Amino acid sequence: MKEKFVLPEGMIYLDGNSLGPLPVGVEEVVSRMMRDQWGAHLIKGWNVDGWMAQPARVGDMVGRLIGAEPGSVVMGDTLSLKVYQALSAALQMRPERKVVLSDSGNFPTDLYMAEGLIRQLDAGHELRVVAPQEVSDAIDDSVAAVMITQVDYRTGRVHDMDAITAKAQAAGAVMIWDLAHSAGALPVDMAGSGAEFAVGCTYKYLNGGPGAPAFIYVRPDIVHDVDPALAGWLGHEAPFAFDLDYRPGAGIERMRVGTPPVIQLTALERALQVWDGVDMGDIRAASIALSEQFIAEVEVACPELTLASPRDASARGSQVSFHFEQGYAAMQALIARGVIGDFRAPDIMRFGFTPLYLDSDDISQAVDIMSEILRDRLWDAPEYTTRQRVT
Amino acid sequence: MKEKFVLPEGMIYLDGNSLGPLPVGVEEVVSRMMRDQWGAHLIKGWNVDGWMAQPARVGDMVGRLIGAEPGSVVMGDTLSLKVYQALSAALQMRPERKVVLSDSGNFPTDLYMAEGLIRQLDAGHELRVVAPQEVSDAIDDSVAAVMITQVDYRTGRVHDMDAITAKAQAAGAVMIWDLAHSAGALPVDMAGSGAEFAVGCTYKYLNGGPGAPAFIYVRPDIVHDVDPALAGWLGHEAPFAFDLDYRPGAGIERMRVGTPPVIQLTALERALQVWDGVDMGDIRAASIALSEQFIAEVEVACPELTLASPRDASARGSQVSFHFEQGYAAMQALIARGVIGDFRAPDIMRFGFTPLYLDSDDISQAVDIMSEILRDRLWDAPEYTTRQRVT
């Protein structure tokens, strides 16, 4: 599969969990879209080039990778906004309950969006944040919604989707899964889970490019009862009637808001073709093999690092993290030598394993370079210890 | 200026008020961004290619065209979401007031977003929609926010920005302007108006391409008091600290939400270079000349049409609309002959005038074609009378 991606010579890219690489063909397809669609058809592109249907069409492509029913996923906006849409709908479904339950391993923007919504509603809601391993025990009948990210962005720890969903629903809570580090990383069975909502982004394992649009899943049997808080015209039943009153569109279409980002969606749609014929079970097996190799080799060659991820592969997503006090500088030194991972405060060195374009040799080479950096303290240089990076 | 755009041979494009044409250079710049930034730098692009600062940098380019202070505009999301952000903030600023005042000439999505927000807040707010000419008289001390689009999307009627802003503020209301049909169409002086908020899109007169991101302006002296309802991580004071608690970022940065659409922003940033050295006063004068010519010629050659726009050029934006009962079919017949305008229910034929790429000959040719269609009832054919278009 490596030849399906543009990978710079000499770079070992262990950061596909932040931003996937450019798939071969995307540049050409986007150029063609601009020249032959926007450039040639202008406004007519909305009809003749299928732009208006693109959010649902691409949604189904993502849906296949997360075990969602056709017609249950739509693209648009950013993950933060999709979290907001899902949570707002969930709170409306449980007006008598006031607790939003999440965990400290959730990506901060999910918590921020929940905080913002709660402040705005000013109706006595509470965001209750517990440790990841305490989520299940914290579910009780005060909880309106359980809102967690399946794979912890720092440690890679995986929540048990079926067990937590079942517990939440038994307690009468609505379940919202953030699949940011799941989609394209491990098998997900949204339909089988029974969860009401899922959201995710597409610039990580799905390689849609910087700022690629997000997705939202709503369980098909409840979507008709969702009253969208972000009631934009493209979620209207008949956007081009230009009625003054809002009527939500059919099914998942009501989760659309404004004009879709056609250029980004075109890049994403082409990027998703990489997955044609790919089985998520195979990807998961290969990802575990790479991750296990990495942990084993690092623990031998780099004793300064301590594993921050679960040791049990089945409890871990497609990433491995290590604690290291000088993690920031060490990561800069690694990046300078072509091994790209990322740093997450306070001391996490994070590495993503994406079998579509990584193999066993890449892992060994990366560990060799890291071992040299640590052994010779190559990280201890001003150009690495001074914090400048924004991501 | 015509050579700065890709314009299909034989097309007279009078729909730049819906979707601007592809500017020359955009395709190449986007290709280069994908190849030399995303493809070559991957995650490092956020730093080395300036992606993280792009929403503010492009915001300043838009800001210049709407008379906004540097640092007072930021890009992101869609216009619907920016309306929601502005209105949510405005209602928070006037907790004791319950009326949102808008008009029936506002673009429906603005009204839908307001309705959705009001339903969600469930705090007794009311969306009061009056006729466009009645807005000023309807402003009283029950109004929390006046939320209107400066240029009516159907008729092109222009609200008096300074007068309505002054009236709103004298009554203690917060002023929100939607500049969808103003930015790049006529001179706007946001700073001079004193209005608290403005929002707009960039795929119309600013030629950013389908789904180009929206903008939001917040008056610099109040932005520090805005508590964002859509509290995404990129509006956080320190996004990469990954704190569990939200603290709004400095100034206009707090109106950012999620990961910016870098590919769309790159297209837009290049498209905005078209405006380098362009004076909005000159654009306005040329737009009025084209519009006046169009009205005069249509009224002679197409007596079946009746003007739906204000006859006074100073009360009209950069578009002209006519009523015609068979407007839908007539517009399809026009489009089939290369004259691209659009239809807005129930009977509006709408034409946009964009002096950057239209001249007097284009106008005369368009009127000739329309006159022939009407004289010979060429619109009366099944391929034109059957409604199929979505935009």
Side-chain angles (χ1 to χ4, degrees):
Chain A
M1 299 288 289
K2 251 185 180 179
E3 76 277 10
K4 294 200 175 188
F5 295 90
V6 175
L7 295 168
E9 187 83 22
M11 182 186 283
I12 301 174
Y13 195 61
L14 307 179
D15 209 5
N17 50 326
S18 270
L19 176 69
L22 173 64
V24 170
V26 167
E27 181 192 336
E28 192 194 329
V29 163
V30 170
S31 265
R32 208 185 306 145
M33 176 261 145
M34 288 198 281
R35 194 170 54 240
D36 299 342
Q37 298 185 9
W38 177 17
H41 301 149
L42 295 96
I43 189 68
K44 295 186 285 183
W46 287 108
N47 298 288
V48 301
D49 297 310
W51 298 344
M52 200 50 81
Q54 199 175 25
R57 190 170 69 235
V58 177
D60 277 341
M61 295 174 78
V62 172
R64 183 183 78 79
L65 300 176
I66 59 168
E69 304 88 337
S72 64
V73 175
V74 74
M75 312 305 300
D77 312 309
T78 63
L79 177 50
S80 299
L81 288 162
K82 294 303 167 196
V83 166
Y84 185 89
Q85 278 190 307
L87 184 59
S88 175
L91 295 183
Q92 209 169 43
M93 290 162 68
R94 297 290 182 275
E96 72 292 356
R97 297 188 178 202
K98 298 298 176 189
V99 174
V100 176
L101 180 65
S102 192
D103 73 55
S104 57
N106 204 347
F107 192 70
T109 202
D110 294 32
L111 304 177
Y112 302 160
M113 293 305 287
E115 277 184 58
L117 174 61
I118 286 171
R119 274 199 309 277
Q120 184 191 29
L121 293 177
D122 193 21
H125 290 92
E126 173 202 342
L127 174 61
R128 192 172 291 166
V129 178
V130 300
Q133 63 279 13
E134 288 163 9
V135 168
S136 187
D137 287 346
I139 297 171
D140 61 30
D141 62 10
S142 71
V143 176
V146 179
M147 178 195 82
I148 48 180
T149 298
Q150 189 190 12
V151 179
D152 188 304
Y153 77 107
R154 271 188 300 223
T155 65
R157 181 186 183 281
V158 180
H159 279 296
D160 183 331
M161 179 175 282
D162 289 339
I164 290 184
T165 301
K167 181 105 195 257
Q169 295 184 335
V174 177
M175 186 70 227
I176 303 169
W177 287 104
D178 179 338
L179 304 178
H181 294 269
S182 307
L186 40 82
V188 176
D189 180 12
M190 280 319 303
S193 77
E196 285 87 351
F197 296 95
V199 296
C201 62
T202 62
Y203 45 74
K204 297 177 184 291
Y205 296 96
L206 301 181
N207 312 303
F215 65 85
I216 187 165
Y217 163 88
V218 184
R219 207 177 68 200
D221 64 309
I222 64 160
V223 71
H224 306 289
D225 295 323
V226 169
D227 179 10
L230 301 175
W233 71 308
L234 289 186
H236 192 281
E237 187 182 33
F240 295 94
F242 301 105
D243 293 333
L244 294 185
D245 296 317
Y246 181 76
R247 298 188 309 277
I252 194 70
E253 288 284 313
R254 70 184 56 193
M255 304 314 277
R256 291 175 65 170
V257 184
T259 304
V262 177
I263 305 177
Q264 301 271 171
L265 277 165
T266 299
L268 174 61
E269 187 166 8
R270 178 63 185 78
L272 287 169
Q273 289 181 18
V274 166
W275 297 92
D276 286 352
V278 172
D279 178 77
M280 283 308 305
D282 295 343
I283 291 288
R284 176 65 169 157
S287 151
I288 288 177
L290 294 173
S291 306
E292 293 284 276
Q293 178 194 345
F294 186 74
I295 293 172
E297 294 186 6
V298 167
E299 291 193 330
V300 169
C302 311
E304 301 89 336
L305 304 192
T306 55
L307 187 64
S309 298
R311 189 166 294 278
D312 171 10
S314 70
R316 200 172 61 217
S318 200
Q319 64 175 79
V320 171
S321 299
F322 286 92
H323 295 287
F324 179 47
E325 205 187 329
Q326 303 298 337
Y328 177 83
M331 186 55 76
Q332 304 320 303
L334 266 174
I335 291 169
R337 285 159 183 80
V339 178
I340 316 294
D342 58 22
F343 173 77
R344 286 291 175 260
D347 69 347
I348 294 271
M349 299 178 72
R350 185 177 77 161
F351 304 91
F353 298 94
T354 43
L356 292 177
Y357 49 86
L358 284 174
D359 59 30
S360 172
D361 286 351
D362 296 320
I363 304 307
S364 296
Q365 277 185 49
V367 176
D368 285 349
I369 293 168
M370 185 150 71
S371 143
E372 194 190 331
I373 288 169
L374 293 171
R375 192 191 59 216
D376 300 339
R377 293 178 61 95
L378 299 177
W379 53 262
D380 193 6
E383 67 267 36
Y384 304 140
T385 51
T386 309
R387 302 214 175 188
Q388 292 170 328
R389 299 176 71 222
V390 292
T391 63
Chain B
M1 298 288 289
K2 248 186 183 179
E3 75 279 8
K4 294 200 175 190
F5 295 90
V6 176
L7 295 167
E9 186 82 24
M11 183 187 281
I12 301 173
Y13 195 61
L14 307 179
D15 209 5
N17 50 325
S18 271
L19 176 69
L22 172 65
V24 169
V26 168
E27 181 191 337
E28 192 193 330
V29 164
V30 170
S31 265
R32 208 186 307 142
M33 176 260 147
M34 288 199 281
R35 193 170 53 242
D36 299 342
Q37 298 184 10
W38 177 17
H41 301 150
L42 295 97
I43 189 68
K44 294 186 285 183
W46 288 108
N47 299 289
V48 300
D49 297 310
W51 298 344
M52 200 50 80
Q54 200 175 26
R57 189 169 71 234
V58 178
D60 277 342
M61 295 174 77
V62 172
R64 185 184 76 81
L65 300 176
I66 60 168
E69 303 88 336
S72 64
V73 175
V74 74
M75 311 304 301
D77 312 310
T78 62
L79 177 50
S80 298
L81 289 162
K82 294 302 168 198
V83 166
Y84 185 90
Q85 277 188 310
L87 184 58
S88 175
L91 294 184
Q92 209 168 43
M93 290 162 66
R94 296 292 182 274
E96 71 293 355
R97 297 187 177 202
K98 298 298 177 188
V99 174
V100 176
L101 180 65
S102 191
D103 74 54
S104 56
N106 204 345
F107 191 70
T109 204
D110 294 31
L111 304 177
Y112 302 160
M113 293 305 287
E115 278 184 58
L117 174 61
I118 286 171
R119 273 198 309 277
Q120 183 191 29
L121 293 177
D122 193 22
H125 290 93
E126 173 202 344
L127 175 62
R128 192 173 291 167
V129 179
V130 302
Q133 63 279 12
E134 289 163 9
V135 167
S136 187
D137 287 345
I139 297 170
D140 61 32
D141 63 11
S142 71
V143 175
V146 179
M147 177 195 83
I148 49 180
T149 298
Q150 189 190 13
V151 179
D152 188 306
Y153 77 107
R154 270 188 300 223
T155 64
R157 180 186 184 281
V158 180
H159 280 295
D160 183 331
M161 179 174 283
D162 289 339
I164 289 184
T165 302
K167 181 103 194 260
Q169 295 182 337
V174 177
M175 187 71 226
I176 303 169
W177 287 104
D178 179 339
L179 304 178
H181 294 268
S182 307
L186 40 82
V188 175
D189 179 11
M190 279 320 304
S193 78
E196 285 87 349
F197 297 95
V199 295
C201 61
T202 61
Y203 44 76
K204 297 178 182 292
Y205 296 95
L206 301 181
N207 313 304
F215 65 85
I216 187 164
Y217 163 87
V218 184
R219 207 177 68 199
D221 65 309
I222 64 159
V223 71
H224 306 287
D225 296 323
V226 169
D227 179 10
L230 301 175
W233 72 306
L234 289 185
H236 193 281
E237 188 182 32
F240 295 93
F242 301 105
D243 293 332
L244 294 184
D245 296 317
Y246 181 77
R247 298 189 308 276
I252 194 69
E253 289 284 313
R254 69 183 58 193
M255 304 313 277
R256 292 176 66 169
V257 184
T259 304
V262 177
I263 305 177
Q264 301 271 171
L265 277 165
T266 300
L268 173 61
E269 186 165 9
R270 178 63 185 79
L272 288 169
Q273 289 181 18
V274 166
W275 297 93
D276 286 352
V278 172
D279 178 78
M280 282 310 305
D282 294 341
I283 290 286
R284 177 67 170 156
S287 152
I288 287 177
L290 294 173
S291 305
E292 294 283 275
Q293 179 195 345
F294 185 74
I295 293 172
E297 294 186 6
V298 167
E299 291 193 327
V300 168
C302 311
E304 300 89 336
L305 303 193
T306 55
L307 187 65
S309 297
R311 190 165 293 279
D312 171 11
S314 70
R316 203 173 58 219
S318 199
Q319 65 174 78
V320 172
S321 300
F322 286 92
H323 294 288
F324 180 47
E325 204 187 330
Q326 302 298 336
Y328 178 83
M331 186 54 77
Q332 304 321 303
L334 267 174
I335 291 170
R337 284 159 185 79
V339 179
I340 316 295
D342 60 21
F343 173 76
R344 286 293 177 254
D347 68 347
I348 295 271
M349 298 179 73
R350 186 177 77 162
F351 304 91
F353 298 94
T354 44
L356 292 178
Y357 49 86
L358 284 173
D359 60 31
S360 172
D361 285 350
D362 296 320
I363 304 308
S364 295
Q365 276 185 50
V367 176
D368 285 349
I369 293 169
M370 184 149 74
S371 143
E372 195 191 331
I373 287 169
L374 294 171
R375 191 191 61 214
D376 300 338
R377 293 178 61 93
L378 299 177
W379 53 262
D380 193 5
E383 68 268 33
Y384 303 140
T385 52
T386 307
R387 300 211 177 190
Q388 291 169 329
R389 297 177 72 223
V390 294
T391 62

